[in-house]
């Protein structure tokens, strides 16, 4: 019998969306799924977890030293629990990527990063070389430790279940790392990885001011705003806007790339979007090779026109 | 203060790679190889800590075929003092790399180990976190700023929602993100000087590590290709297509 442990990503009160995609990956493997909610005063997140249909049990752990989700402390807890499971899964977010290799090493097992497909309980598909290739790999480890690419698995329903919540004792703190502070980007717009539409700008935007044109469009169509690495490095927007091999992975229904050339490292983060639109003044830009709709033109002329056209549009 | 930096030899990030004809792996014969870009950032950071007077010695290590000497020489040219090659023809998994690095840490006793956050060939993003786990040390993964003290290192980390700052007790493990620094351009005299710097070669057996594998690659293939679509004349046509044809706005 396979028993799977899914590590919930949460802010103590609520679950992060990527957890639901990870649950779907676990379901595709098959077996009894338990969800671990480790934090401090995290009854809210545990209650939300219990409502996911098909979860057999929620394990809730509360301790001061889990308040900041430090990988050093969480890994000790999870490695301790893992002995009862065949698979341990977490989302391939910065939370999961920081944590799961640490868990795997404590268990003396290998780890599978960023899976995009489940063939069977020990065979998985994952991208390599910036997504330019897909590798099918078989894992012979006694416990299979996995991070799951959210865009590759549909979100599980968040209502309808009623799993029991069991309280589990904390592991002792490791005491090597201290949380100092956090600086989070706040935005009224949808979260990048969960947005239905993403509007992204590159070096062509020229400045942070240039991004205002994009934000205007984004707000008219309910989109999140993203960026290429060049735009982030130039300081136009904060680092957590970055989409690509080393940034966020998105696969919205509509992705609009503006002033982005289409380097493979950028494509790695968005080429699974349903519809891709590219706006670029260079008709040779590689982004056009994967765009469903290409518009060759100067963005400083096109974006105001696009904005005006959107204003004319009758409500859908 | 001694810093150990791990550098991997990978296919250059500008090269487009293809699967082998039989799908058993990636075709890397006769392809341009370079230092993993994140590892260049890791080396640069170590050199800057030395220039700041905070570090006294930088040791760089690579695990792989004998040609890894080239990336080690490149790191020496950037300013590292000494290099170690752990030579093997196998392409060890991150867990095994972490075990070999742990053995090197036990020999070299560095106060800080810096790795890249991710190797751009396997895109694993695991080795630094695994090494930290094996050593029982703190980990500053995806670092974009380091402030090195006597007992502690303060690390700004890139996380999904923004930035997080943590303080790690030394010794500790850091993995370098893209914005930690911009690696320097190496000048010719430094390349010449690097040829004379010490480079030691070891075998995995010297370090007491068995190269076990738990992963088997069954197949490597290109993902389904996206076809280029159509060009639209202007914003009005674009909006009409998005509304009427594909109904996404
Ligand atoms: C290890 C590594 C990891 C990386 N990871 C990432 C990653 O995660 N994400 C990422 O995005 N990149 C990543 N990169 C960088 C990547 O290789 C490219 O350098 C980057 O994506 C380029 O960004 P860009 O398209 O905005 O800029 P450029 O390539 O400079 O393109 C700018 C485009 O804007 C167009 N343009 C300029 N002005 C206008 C105008 N007025 N109107 C219309 N169009 C205009 C130009 O024609 C051009 O096509 C990585 C690189 C490395 C080495
Ligand atoms: N064979 C290797 N030799 C030296 N360093 C390595 C090797 N493999 C991985 N590393 C280090 O670990 C980092 C992360 O690699 P990975 O976990 O494979 O994505 C790299 O950026 C290197 O710093």
């Amino acid at each position: 019998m396979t028993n799977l442990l899914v590590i919930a990503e949460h802010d103590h009160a609520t679950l992060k969306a990527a957890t639901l995609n990870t649950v779907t990956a676990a379901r595709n493997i098959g077996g009894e799924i338990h969800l671990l909610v480790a934090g401090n005063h995290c009854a809210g997140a545990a209650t939300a977890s219990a409502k996911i249909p098909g979860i057999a049990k929620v394990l809730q752990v509360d301790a001061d030293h889990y308040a900041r989700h430090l990988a050093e402390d969480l890994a000790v807890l999870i490695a301790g629990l893992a002995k009862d499971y065949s698979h341990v899964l977490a989302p391939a977010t910065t939370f999961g990527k920081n944590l799961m290799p640490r868990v795997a090493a404590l268990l003396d097992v290998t780890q599978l990063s960023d899976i995009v497909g489940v063939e069977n309980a020990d065979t998985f598909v994952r991208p390599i070389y910036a997504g330019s290739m897909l590798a099918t790999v078989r894992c012979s480890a006694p416990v299979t430790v996995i991070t799951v690419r959210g865009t590759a698995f549909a979100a599980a329903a968040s209502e309808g279940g009623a799993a029991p919540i069991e309280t589990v004792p904390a592991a002792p703190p490791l005491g090597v790392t201290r949380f100092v502070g956090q600086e989070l980007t706040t935005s009224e717009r949808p979260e990048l990885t969960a947005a239905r539409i993403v509007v992204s700008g590159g070096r062509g935007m020229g400045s942070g001011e240039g991004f205002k044109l994009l934000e205007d469009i984004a707000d008219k169509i309910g989109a999140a705003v993203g960026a290429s690495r060049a735009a982030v490095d130039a300081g136009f927007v904060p680092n957590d806007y970055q989409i690509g091999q080393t940034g966020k992975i998105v696969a919205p229904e509509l992705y609009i790339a503006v002033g982005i050339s289409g380097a493979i490292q950028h494509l790695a983060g968005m080429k699974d979007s349903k519809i891709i639109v590219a706006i670029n003044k260079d008709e040779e830009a590689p982004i056009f090779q994967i765009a469903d709709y290409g518009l060759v033109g100067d963005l400083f002329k096109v974006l105001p026109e696009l904005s005006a056209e959107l204003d004319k549009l009758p409500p859908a | 203060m001694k810093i150990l930096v791990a550098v991997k030899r990978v296919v250059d990030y500008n090269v487009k790679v293809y699967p082998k004809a039989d799908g058993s792996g990636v075709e890397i014969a006769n392809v341009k190889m370079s230092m993993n870009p994140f590892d260049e950032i890791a080396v640069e950071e170590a050199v800057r800590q030395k220039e700041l007077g905070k570090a006294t010695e930088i040791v760089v290590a690579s695990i792989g075929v004998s040609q890894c000497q080239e990336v080690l020489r490149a790191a020496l040219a950037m300013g590292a003092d000494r290099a170690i090659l752990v030579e093997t023809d196998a392409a060890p998994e991150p867990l095994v790399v972490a075990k070999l690095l742990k053995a090197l840490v036990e020999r070299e006793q560095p106060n800080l180990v810096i790795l890249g956050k991710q190797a751009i060939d396997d895109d694993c993003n695991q080795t630094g976190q695994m090494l930290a786990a094996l050593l029982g040390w703190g980990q500053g993964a995806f670092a974009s700023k380091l402030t090195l003290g006597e007992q502690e290192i303060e690390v700004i980390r890139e996380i999904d929602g923004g930035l997080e700052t943590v303080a790690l007790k030394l010794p500790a493990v850091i993995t370098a993100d893209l914005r930690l620094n911009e690696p320097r351009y190496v000048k010719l005299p430094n390349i010449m000087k690097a040829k004379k710097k010490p480079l030691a070669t070891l075998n995995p057996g010297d370090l007491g590590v068995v190269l076990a594998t738990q992963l088997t690659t069954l197949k490597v293939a290109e993902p389904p290709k996206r076809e280029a679509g159509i060009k639209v004349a202007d914003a009005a046509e674009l909006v009409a297509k998005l509304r009427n044809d594909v109904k996404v706005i």
Side-chain angles (χ1 to χ4, degrees):
Chain A
M1 180 67 195
T2 36
N3 276 313
L4 304 98
L5 182 66
V6 171
I7 313 303
E9 181 170 357
H10 62 89
D11 63 4
H12 311 282
T14 57
L15 271 187
K16 294 272 170 74
T19 309
L20 298 172
N21 308 86
T22 308
V23 166
T24 301
R27 268 190 204 145
N28 291 357
I29 298 169
E32 187 174 307
I33 303 175
H34 297 176
L35 219 72
L36 174 70
V37 182
N40 199 17
H41 307 298
C42 58
T47 309
S49 301
K51 291 185 187 150
I52 303 171
I55 299 294
K57 189 158 74 173
V58 173
L59 310 179
Q60 182 187 341
V61 190
D62 281 297
D64 277 350
H65 57 281
Y66 300 141
R68 297 301 178 171
H69 306 297
L70 293 174
E72 290 85 337
D73 292 328
L74 286 177
V76 178
L77 171 72
I78 297 167
L81 296 171
K83 294 175 182 74
D84 299 330
Y85 296 93
S86 56
H87 297 72
V88 184
L89 301 92
T93 53
T94 50
F95 164 78
K97 290 175 178 176
N98 188 34
L99 174 61
M100 298 305 266
R102 187 148 187 136
V103 170
L106 293 180
L107 295 168
D108 195 24
V109 297
T110 192
Q111 195 232 295
L112 284 150
S113 296
D114 234 353
I115 64 158
V116 297
V118 174
E119 303 265 291
N120 55 48
D122 59 16
T123 308
F124 304 89
V125 182
R126 56 174 305 266
I128 54 174
Y129 288 88
S132 62
M133 271 174 292
L134 294 174
T136 305
V137 285
R138 191 172 56 215
C139 179
S140 63
V143 187
T144 306
V145 180
I146 294 173
T147 62
V148 175
R149 179 172 290 195
T151 54
F153 299 90
S158 56
E159 294 289 338
I165 300 176
E166 194 176 290
T167 310
V168 171
L174 196 61
V176 289
T177 304
R178 182 166 54 85
F179 175 85
V180 177
Q182 223 169 36
E183 208 181 295
L184 299 183
T185 315
T186 50
S187 167
E188 302 285 292
R189 298 194 188 87
E191 204 245 316
L192 253 183
T193 52
R196 199 178 67 82
I197 306 181
V198 173
V199 185
S200 238
R203 198 197 308 272
M205 301 309 299
S207 66
E209 279 299 299
F211 262 83
K212 295 241 161 68
L213 292 171
L214 273 193
E215 287 163 3
D216 165 61
I217 307 262
D219 292 339
K220 286 182 184 171
I221 52 178
V225 178
S228 71
R229 176 186 171 192
V232 172
D233 282 359
F236 303 167
V237 286
N239 67 280
D240 59 307
Y241 279 45
Q242 181 175 317
I243 290 171
Q245 181 184 20
T246 51
K248 290 198 173 118
I249 309 290
V250 301
E253 283 182 39
L254 174 62
Y255 188 89
I256 306 183
V258 186
I260 293 179
S261 61
I264 182 172
Q265 295 86 3
H266 186 78
L267 303 189
M270 46 65 74
K271 70 179 162 51
D272 292 329
S273 306
K274 274 220 188 73
I275 300 290
I276 297 175
V277 171
I279 301 174
N280 196 304
K281 67 178 180 190
D282 171 12
E283 64 176 319
E284 303 289 322
I287 188 86
F288 286 125
Q289 289 165 19
I290 62 148
D292 299 284
Y293 299 108
L295 177 44
V296 180
D298 187 328
L299 67 93
F300 294 103
K301 181 168 161 286
V302 173
L303 289 181
E305 285 170 6
L306 184 57
S307 176
E309 289 298 328
L310 290 171
D311 288 339
K312 285 193 235 159
L313 207 59
Chain B
M1 166 120 22
K2 184 170 176 180
I3 304 181
L4 176 70
V5 184
V7 298
K8 186 177 186 187
R9 176 176 178 267
V10 298
V11 172
D12 186 85
Y13 83 98
N14 274 314
V15 172
K16 163 109 183 80
V17 282
Y18 295 93
K20 286 188 180 150
D22 63 358
S24 64
V26 180
E27 189 54 76
I28 56 167
N30 306 317
V31 164
K32 184 180 177 206
M33 306 293 284
S34 302
M35 194 190 307
N36 184 39
F38 290 95
D39 304 353
E40 262 187 281
I41 297 171
V43 174
E44 174 68 31
E45 192 60 26
V47 174
R48 289 189 191 187
Q49 296 298 338
K50 193 175 170 192
E51 286 167 351
L52 282 170
K54 297 201 171 169
T56 46
E57 190 187 16
I58 302 167
V59 181
V60 286
S62 191
I63 294 145
V65 293
S66 70
Q67 291 92 325
C68 291
Q69 289 185 26
E70 293 156 23
V71 297
L72 289 170
R73 290 287 172 207
L76 293 171
M78 287 176 74
D81 298 296
R82 174 156 87 68
I84 303 172
L85 169 63
V86 181
E87 194 171 335
T88 165
D89 288 336
E93 291 163 16
L95 179 65
V96 176
V97 174
K99 287 181 182 177
L100 290 165
L101 291 173
K102 176 178 183 250
L104 285 180
V105 165
E106 281 158 0
R107 286 193 166 203
E108 294 286 339
Q109 303 280 324
N111 310 74
L112 190 67
V113 185
I114 313 182
L115 301 86
K117 104 164 167 182
Q118 164 174 351
I120 61 163
D121 49 2
D122 62 24
D123 280 336
C124 276
N125 192 336
Q126 300 174 2
T127 309
Q129 298 89 311
M130 287 181 156
L131 174 63
L134 297 177
L135 292 164
W137 294 2
Q139 65 187 49
F142 329 142
S144 66
K145 187 169 193 291
L146 302 184
T147 313
L148 189 50
E150 295 283 319
Q151 310 289 332
E152 264 192 359
I153 181 165
E154 198 170 278
V155 186
I156 300 186
R157 306 181 51 233
E158 298 208 0
I159 59 170
D160 284 335
L163 298 171
E164 175 184 274
T165 308
V166 289
L168 316 177
K169 275 190 191 151
L170 290 174
V173 174
I174 302 295
T175 76
D177 213 322
L178 290 173
R179 275 167 286 276
L180 183 57
N181 60 51
E182 252 185 71
R184 69 197 56 202
Y185 182 75
V186 177
K187 298 194 191 76
L188 191 61
N190 291 337
I191 297 176
M192 303 312 289
K193 252 191 259 165
K195 291 189 177 156
K196 299 201 191 77
K197 291 186 181 176
L199 191 161
T201 301
L202 300 172
N203 295 312
D206 300 336
L207 295 169
V209 175
V210 185
L211 299 187
T213 55
Q214 296 179 342
L215 287 181
T216 317
T217 300
L218 303 179
K219 189 175 88 182
V220 171
E222 284 188 278
K225 272 219 169 55
R226 266 192 101 102
E227 298 298 324
I230 58 164
K231 291 267 165 46
V232 292
D234 54 25
E237 190 187 346
L238 177 62
V239 169
K241 296 273 188 220
L242 294 179
R243 168 58 66 93
N244 304 322
D245 291 7
V246 286
K247 303 186 172 56
V248 286
I249 57 169

